[in-house]
Amino acid sequence: TLRNALAYSRNIPALKTMYAVGKDKAVGFAEKLGLDFKKPVYDPVAIGSYEPGATPLQMAGAYAAFGNNGVYNEPYTVTKIAFPDGKTIKPHRRSYTAMHDYTAYMVTDVLKSVIEYGTGKSIQLPGLPVAGKTGSVGLSDEFRQKHDISDTGGYSDEWFTGYTTQYTASIWTGYPSLTADGKVHYMSSIESKNIAKEIFEKLMADISDQHVADFKK
């Protein structure tokens, strides 16, 4: 099922889904959620691999739309600019409906399973209605061979992006460079696989209200 495919982060169902929908339509949907793509776009985009790639800010903005009944709000940090004479300016930011509310609800309901029993099941937030998705980027065979790496479980990036009806958070863990300071840096699957999820769990547990409303069907 689509639910289990996302819960267990299966790549082939994602690729088949993109072909069923159409690559251009799938990319267009993602663009409405604030993601940028360098054209042409190739098949790995189905599992999140594309140029120039997403930032945590873009990912948080995109996922927030699913928790906001399909309405996308462009992420921003400046709420207003106040001048000494009392004049204020509120910067323009985009806000629009990116998808139907029922689409947002169904995807959210599916992404709850990631945390209930899938790749995000280590996240413990009892009583908090939360949905999200793990993400990882493995080391290329070329990189392993060049640097004589035998660890087949190593990763360059680990993500967790999740949301409630109150907050959205996107956590990226990795290294700015895999070969900085003349040394090879990468994330061991044993040591580092869960760090992004642990940060998300502690952050959401700390900032969330005691009673957060569930997603509305």
Side-chain angles (χ1 to χ4, degrees):
T1 64
L2 182 147
R3 182 181 297 277
N4 284 340
L6 275 175
Y8 295 118
S9 204
R10 304 300 189 199
N11 291 341
I12 298 304
L15 182 63
K16 288 184 175 182
T17 301
M18 185 183 73
Y19 269 97
V21 172
K23 187 186 297 181
D24 290 342
K25 190 172 183 180
V27 169
F29 182 87
E31 287 177 327
K32 289 192 295 183
L33 296 173
L35 302 182
D36 299 317
F37 299 87
K38 181 180 178 181
K39 307 296 174 61
V41 178
Y42 300 100
D43 284 357
V45 71
I47 56 172
S49 179
Y50 64 93
E51 294 294 334
T55 66
L57 185 65
Q58 287 176 316
M59 292 294 283
Y63 275 70
F66 290 99
N68 195 36
N69 299 317
V71 177
Y72 172 78
N73 292 302
E74 184 177 20
Y76 64 97
T77 55
V78 178
T79 56
K80 66 180 180 179
I81 301 170
F83 293 88
D85 62 3
K87 178 184 177 182
T88 61
I89 296 176
K90 291 188 176 182
H92 173 73
R93 60 184 179 86
R94 294 182 298 161
S95 180
Y96 52 83
T97 300
M99 70 189 89
H100 292 296
D101 53 1
Y102 54 80
T103 301
Y105 176 81
M106 287 190 289
V107 171
T108 295
D109 191 67
V110 167
L111 290 180
K112 280 184 172 182
S113 299
V114 173
I115 297 170
E116 289 172 359
Y117 62 83
T119 55
K121 65 181 180 180
S122 64
I123 296 173
Q124 298 296 312
L125 292 167
L128 189 65
V130 59
K133 185 72 182 71
T134 55
S136 59
V137 181
L139 302 176
S140 67
D141 291 338
E142 180 183 2
F143 186 85
R144 295 180 198 275
Q145 293 171 4
K146 181 178 180 180
H147 298 284
D148 194 26
I149 298 174
S150 59
D151 180 8
T152 57
Y155 294 86
S156 62
D157 307 79
E158 282 289 344
W159 293 77
F160 190 84
T161 303
Y163 57 98
T164 66
T165 52
Q166 186 179 24
Y167 292 114
T168 301
S170 183
I171 313 298
W172 169 83
T173 53
Y175 292 93
S177 172
L178 296 179
T179 55
D181 306 321
K183 299 178 181 178
V184 177
H185 304 277
Y186 67 93
M187 302 177 67
S188 165
S189 59
I190 298 175
E191 298 174 355
S192 308
K193 186 93 173 159
N194 290 323
I195 294 178
K197 289 179 278 189
E198 290 171 0
I199 294 173
F200 176 85
E201 177 189 295
K202 293 182 184 300
L203 176 65
M204 295 299 272
D206 186 61
I207 66 175
S208 298
D209 292 341
Q210 185 175 2
H211 300 290
V212 177
D214 201 349
F215 302 97
K216 185 179 179 182
K217 186 174 181 180

